[in-house]
Every structure is written in structure tokens, then in C-alpha cells.
Amino acid sequence: MSGEDDFFGNVIKSQSIGEAFWARAKSRPSDLLMRFALSPHQGAQGEWQEESYASAEPKIARLASFLSTLGVGPGVPVAIMSQTRPEWILADLAIQSLGGITVSIYQSQQAQEAGFILYDSGARIVFVENEEQAAKLAWLQAHPCPIPQRDDLPESSARIPIEMIVSFEALETFAGCRLLRQIISDESLPSEAPKVPASLSRDSVASYVYTSGTTGPPKGVIQTHGNHLANVAQAAESGAFALNGSLFLYLPLAHSFARLIHYLGCLTSAHLALPAVADPRSSRVDLSGVAKDLQASSSFVIPSVPRLFEKMSAALKAKASSKGLQGKMLGLCISNAVATYERRMTGGSLSILEQIIFRGLEPVRAKVKRQLFGPKFSHAISGGAKLDPGVNRFFDALGMTICEGYGLTETCVATHVNRPLRRKIGTVGPPLLGVETRISGDDGEILLRGANVTQGYLNRPSATRESWDSDGWFHTGDVGSIDEQGFLTITDRKKELVITAGGKKIPPTSVEGRFKRFSFISHAFLFGDMKPYCVMLLTLNEQELRSLLRSAGIQPEPGQKLSELAAVHGMVQDAVDEVNAGLS
């Protein structure tokens, strides 16, 4: 039986993620589960460590046994506050083995934001990455956390009870927690695969993933084992993910797109490659280090948000415009490739000289591809936000394939994706197997239905009724069209949600409201959709501003614009700093 046949059988027949994982581990224990780069504080920089299913088994088993002594079992939520790293995967698999519910919290979220998720989900056991994350829990234990209004639940505040903290890194300033490495090496705990609860079914809840709304607090999407397993099978069947090599995973595992990659690596014949942890005390992500590890990982498929490809294309163009022989050669390579590509796309023919130059520059294009993505790179998957078609065409001209896809947390996660041999740049591709897509005749809204589509939000009955209709269709809030070949194009968004190029979802009304609390700011407008970061356009309340300046003993010169005063710039900067301090 081949590895792929093996995994398809496991994924299709299994009732839970834990069951599918342990069946996979039992059938091929020597297979590689993941590889991860080491940083100086973990070992020699540049080296990679491997984890097979067999070597991971006792670690996951001991951790699951430890969690079971704390009462973790079917339906019990456990939170993880960490960037993507091997320990995140081990913790999640231990939780899933017991039938617990994984509650993912972004490492960038503030203490109050994390507190709301812990309160709303009911998670009382928390995995933290390091000192930075533990400090948030320390704050929550010392202060009541504000709980905003949710549907018909009133605004309140509450202390967040935390029963156990397990840390990935050693903590110096936080007592009362357990260290993960000590738990997974504790030989007094059983090291054999735990028995997955027979009561689990595909309808059992596997995870709560919180997604931003246009107004109000985040909503916890209820994702079942069936949702996850269906999407793993759908994504694998599509051919967009090579299952005979490694998938590079650097995206935050708090995001559903990264979780799909995680389960593809753990439940199929593929395996994961993870970048090094940059800092043992903080959750800072070293993007230059990630880029180096990406190249060194020799991964087949690179899943990413659009921002990575935007930065790569900008860096290539900047290097091509530099002085020196290398810059000129790269500039010639890019201009020739782009011109050749455009000629072919418009149906034009190439002269003999152009063909000779294009073929002669093949080694340069191959070197660029290898330096960016590594020697075994097949293609990239772009998701989480809209990819600029111009960026996609730029890489396509250089012989690097990017397959754009689409999905939402509520659809757990992918619903459409371009395939390496079947794609249309500017679209998000045809639907995955079993995903029904419909365009509303009223406003062109995209509606989705399928085994991967979730059925609601935690503690949010009104929001659930607004997004899911009685026939099970999820109303995405996105507007689009489907061509005659089934390719979906996203044309607009009904929701006001801003999604940056990095895939960060930001409710603009909430952020704008924080600025308008300052008396000297009359209007605020957030801009950042599909951009690398957000900017805020502010208009000033001149009457209030003059009053504040007089109180500070500052008198503008006759005819001088208030916006030109250094004092006003300082007031605005102070407002920006104050608002930013409360945002992720």
C-alpha cells in the first residue's frame, strides 16, 4: 500500500484528527513528521533537526497523559499562545488525542485581547511560548479583563481563572508553570500512543479559531473534526499540495490557513519544514531568518500570504537596478523574461534573437528561483488575502508558479485554489471537491457550502444566524463571479473588514473609533486593504486644537497652518502611540 493510499484511507474513515494521526503514525512510524531549523540558543545555527512519527510518539503521549490528569478530555478547551514552532504542533496533537478543543491565540495579541478569548472559550489551561506571552497571563491574573458586549450578552469585566500554564521556553519571572520539555521527557508518564476517545465523531468540536468582525469583539468559529478532515482530503485531492515532499510552514498557527498546512503535514505523506525560533524570550519573528530557512529547507511547496511575494518582487527589482555586473545581468534577465512573457500572453511571436537571449538566460532565472525558494521548489500557494495579479505575473514570467487560493476561517479553510497545471492569474481558482459555490442574485455575494464549512460562532447566536442561512449556506460577505470554467474571481467585499497583504484582518470602525476619542481629532479613516501596513487619515478639530494650544501657551503665527506646528505633530503622534499600545 502506498503512502498516499494509506493516508487517504485514514483521513476518510477516521472520526477525529487524533484517530487519523495515530493511524498514520502506526502504519509508517519511520516516516518524517517535520524538520525544523535550529537557532543559536537551540544548537548550531544553520543545522536542522528531524522528528519522525516514532520519535514524536512518546512526546505527544506523555503530554497527553499529563493533560488528562488536569481533566482534559472531549470538549475541554486548551489554549496555545505562541508563534509557529514544533512545540505548537506537539501540543495541538496531544490536545486532539484526548478530544480536547484547541483554542489558538495569536502571539501578537495584547493581554486584554487574549483575556477575552480565554474568557469566551472557557480555556483554563494555557500553553505559552515564552516570557512575553507569560507576562500577558500575569497581567490577567492581576487585573479584571474588560469583556465587550456580544450579541445579547452585556458588557462586563471578569477575572480570568487560569489553572495551569505550560511553557515552551524556561521562564525566569513567572512561577507556577510547567516546562514542556520536562513533561515530554518524564519517563514516569506513559510513552505509548494514547487511546483516542471512542465518543469522538466528526461532529465533535476540534478547535475554536477567533476571527475579527467588522464591529464588536472577535468571534470564535467552531471547527469540528469533520471540517478539518474534509479540508485535508479536499486540499490533498486538488493536487495543489505536493504530498511527496515538504511543506514550508512559517505562517502563524493561530490562523486557519496555517492549521490546514499543519494537518496536511501530519496526516498525509507530506512533511513539514519550520524556520528557527529567533528569540527564546520574545515572540519576535525574524523575517530575514525565515527567508534564509525557507531557502535552506528545500521545500516542495511554499504556502504564504501575499506580502512575502510582494517583498520578494520588490527586492528583485531593486537589485536589478543596482550598479555592477550582477545588477545589470539580473536587470537584463527580468526585462527579457517580462517582455517575452507579455508577448506570449498577447499571442505575439518572438524573433530568433529574442528566443536565443531568453534561452541563454535560463541559468540566471534558475539561480534566482533557487536563491529565493530553494533547490526543490515546485510552486507556492498564496492565501489569506488577495494577491496582486501583477506580482503573480512577474513571478510567472520568471518561471516561478504561484497558485492563489481562497477560503475563510468559517470554511475551515480552503474552498478554491488554482492548481499548478490549471490556473488563471487574477482568479482564486476552481472549487475544491465537494465545495458548492453560489453567487447571490441580489448583490453578487459568494455563498459556500460543504463538509469543510463550519456551522456557527461560539456564544454568538445572532451573528451565526446572520452568516448562515437555513439551508446551510455560509454568506461570505465577499462579492465575486464565476466564469464558464468554474474559476472564482473576488471582485469586492461587502464587509468593511480591512485585510492587509500579510493576511491580518482589521475592523476599521473599531480602530477609527479609538482615534475619534481624542477631542482634537474630528474624523479618522483607516486605509490598508491589501497593503503591507495600515495608515490613518486624520482631520483635526481646529477649534478644539486652538484651545488646547492656548492652554499649553503656544500661539501660532498669523496665517500659519495648525498642521505645520511641531506641537500638533507631537499631539497626533502621542495619540497614535496610545492607540497602537492597545492594538495587536
Side-chain angles (χ1 to χ4, degrees):
M1 181 182 290
S2 72
E4 291 189 24
D5 291 339
D6 209 13
F7 103 74
F8 265 117
N10 289 336
V11 170
I12 292 170
K13 72 181 182 183
S14 293
Q15 291 298 302
S16 68
I17 294 167
E19 181 184 343
F21 171 76
W22 288 110
R24 172 86 177 91
K26 183 179 179 180
S27 66
R28 304 177 71 88
S30 61
D31 279 7
L32 188 60
L33 175 63
M34 58 181 163
R35 301 170 61 243
F36 48 94
L38 298 176
S39 55
H41 76 278
Q42 295 173 308
Q45 190 168 16
E47 291 186 4
W48 289 72
Q49 185 168 322
E50 295 187 349
E51 188 85 82
S52 68
Y53 286 86
S55 65
E57 178 174 332
K59 299 175 183 178
I60 299 169
R62 288 169 180 153
L63 185 54
S65 177
F66 171 77
L67 291 175
S68 69
T69 65
L70 302 176
V72 176
V76 176
V78 180
I80 305 177
M81 299 171 59
S82 170
Q83 65 173 312
T84 292
R85 53 188 292 165
E87 295 91 338
W88 206 113
I89 293 170
L90 296 178
D92 177 58
L93 291 172
I95 296 167
Q96 296 303 316
S97 296
L98 298 172
I101 300 172
T102 301
V103 182
S104 52
I105 301 177
Y106 282 96
Q107 74 272 13
S108 59
Q109 288 182 305
Q110 301 292 316
Q112 292 185 8
E113 295 173 314
F116 168 75
I117 293 175
L118 293 174
Y119 175 85
D120 191 60
S121 67
R124 300 293 177 260
I125 300 168
V126 187
F127 287 91
V128 297
E129 180 177 14
N130 48 35
E131 294 274 3
E132 179 183 336
Q133 303 305 321
K136 299 174 186 177
L137 298 186
W139 188 93
L140 290 171
Q141 290 183 329
H143 302 83
C145 181
I147 307 299
Q149 181 179 354
R150 297 158 290 155
D151 289 3
D152 54 349
L153 300 174
E155 182 177 345
S156 62
S157 63
R159 294 276 182 177
I160 310 300
I162 300 170
E163 298 172 1
M164 174 57 68
I165 299 169
V166 179
S167 178
F168 297 162
E169 299 283 357
L171 304 182
E172 298 176 2
T173 59
F174 197 91
C177 72
R178 293 292 302 272
L179 188 60
L180 180 75
R181 70 172 71 105
Q182 293 176 346
I183 297 171
I184 62 178
S185 61
D186 185 351
E187 295 185 357
S188 68
L189 295 171
S191 58
E192 298 78 23
K195 187 175 181 180
V196 179
S199 61
L200 292 179
S201 73
R202 287 192 166 231
D203 293 329
S204 300
V205 179
S207 54
Y208 298 143
V209 179
Y210 281 77
T211 183
S212 300
T214 54
T215 58
K219 299 188 289 288
V221 179
I222 305 171
Q223 299 176 337
T224 67
H225 289 270
N227 295 148
H228 283 291
L229 293 172
N231 207 221
V232 169
Q234 291 166 332
E237 186 277 336
S238 72
F241 298 88
L243 302 181
N244 56 345
S246 62
L247 309 172
F248 188 75
L249 178 55
Y250 82 97
L251 298 171
L253 277 162
H255 193 287
S256 287
F257 183 25
R259 192 76 63 82
L260 171 61
I261 308 306
H262 159 27
Y263 290 142
L264 279 166
C266 293
L267 306 181
T268 79
S269 49
H271 65 269
L272 300 172
L274 282 69
V277 175
D279 186 345
R281 294 180 58 86
S282 80
S283 298
R284 175 183 61 88
V285 177
D286 179 10
L287 293 179
S288 62
V290 170
K292 291 178 182 177
D293 290 340
L294 186 158
Q295 193 275 337
S297 71
S298 297
S299 295
F300 276 45
V301 178
I302 313 294
S304 179
V305 291
R307 183 58 182 151
L308 174 70
F309 309 120
E310 293 171 356
K311 289 176 70 71
M312 284 181 169
S313 64
L316 277 177
K317 292 173 182 177
K319 190 174 181 180
S321 62
S322 63
K323 296 179 180 179
L325 181 60
Q326 284 189 336
K328 291 181 179 179
M329 181 62 70
L330 180 60
L332 174 62
C333 175
I334 291 176
S335 61
N336 171 263
V338 170
T340 301
Y341 182 81
E342 291 176 349
R343 188 80 59 83
R344 286 173 174 164
M345 290 298 102
T346 56
S349 58
L350 300 174
S351 67
I352 298 296
L353 179 60
E354 288 174 319
Q355 294 180 46
I356 292 173
I357 295 175
F358 182 77
R359 290 171 183 167
L361 290 171
E362 167 58 28
V364 180
R365 293 194 301 274
K367 182 179 180 181
V368 171
K369 180 178 179 180
R370 186 170 59 253
Q371 289 178 336
L372 288 180
F373 297 113
K376 295 182 180 179
F377 173 72
S378 168
H379 59 277
I381 306 285
S382 179
K386 185 175 177 58
L387 175 64
D388 182 349
V391 172
N392 203 340
R393 283 190 284 268
F394 173 79
F395 281 102
D396 204 34
L398 291 170
M400 291 171 251
T401 300
I402 301 177
C403 299
E404 186 175 7
Y406 174 72
L408 304 98
T409 305
E410 291 87 345
T411 61
C412 193
V413 55
T415 62
H416 295 71
V417 68
N418 281 281
R419 282 65 158 171
L421 300 178
R422 186 188 174 205
R423 62 193 179 106
K424 291 184 180 180
I425 292 177
T427 78
V428 294
L432 298 178
L433 184 67
V435 173
E436 298 178 79
T437 311
R438 193 171 77 185
I439 305 298
S440 171
D442 298 329
D443 51 17
E445 183 178 12
I446 301 167
L447 311 183
L448 298 169
R449 190 168 65 177
N452 59 299
V453 177
T454 66
Q455 293 301 308
Y457 300 116
L458 181 67
N459 300 324
R460 304 295 290 275
S462 297
T464 298
R465 288 191 295 270
E466 290 172 3
S467 296
W468 282 266
D469 62 29
S470 58
D471 293 324
W473 289 97
F474 173 66
H475 294 240
T476 65
D478 291 323
V479 176
S481 62
I482 303 173
D483 67 16
E484 65 281 356
Q485 294 177 309
F487 284 73
L488 176 66
T489 300
I490 311 298
T491 57
D492 207 344
R493 184 176 295 111
K494 285 179 62 177
K495 301 175 182 178
E496 294 181 326
L497 204 63
V498 167
I499 305 180
T500 68
K504 179 71 174 177
K505 296 181 175 65
I506 300 170
T509 305
S510 173
V511 181
E512 291 161 357
R514 298 189 186 206
F515 278 95
K516 287 186 281 188
R517 295 171 187 167
F518 296 91
S519 61
F520 60 92
I521 295 177
S522 55
H523 297 286
F525 176 75
L526 183 75
F527 179 77
D529 203 44
M530 296 183 289
K531 302 298 181 183
Y533 53 85
C534 290
V535 296
M536 184 70 73
L537 174 64
L538 303 172
T539 59
L540 305 179
N541 183 327
E542 184 173 352
Q543 183 177 355
E544 179 66 17
L545 198 55
R546 289 188 182 280
S547 175
L548 292 172
L549 291 172
R550 281 195 301 270
S551 299
I554 300 173
Q555 181 63 45
E557 297 294 333
Q560 186 177 21
K561 293 181 179 180
L562 297 184
S563 59
E564 295 175 348
L565 290 175
V568 173
H569 279 247
M571 292 168 66
V572 172
Q573 186 62 57
D574 287 343
V576 171
D577 292 342
E578 183 176 331
V579 171
N580 271 339
L583 299 173
S584 299

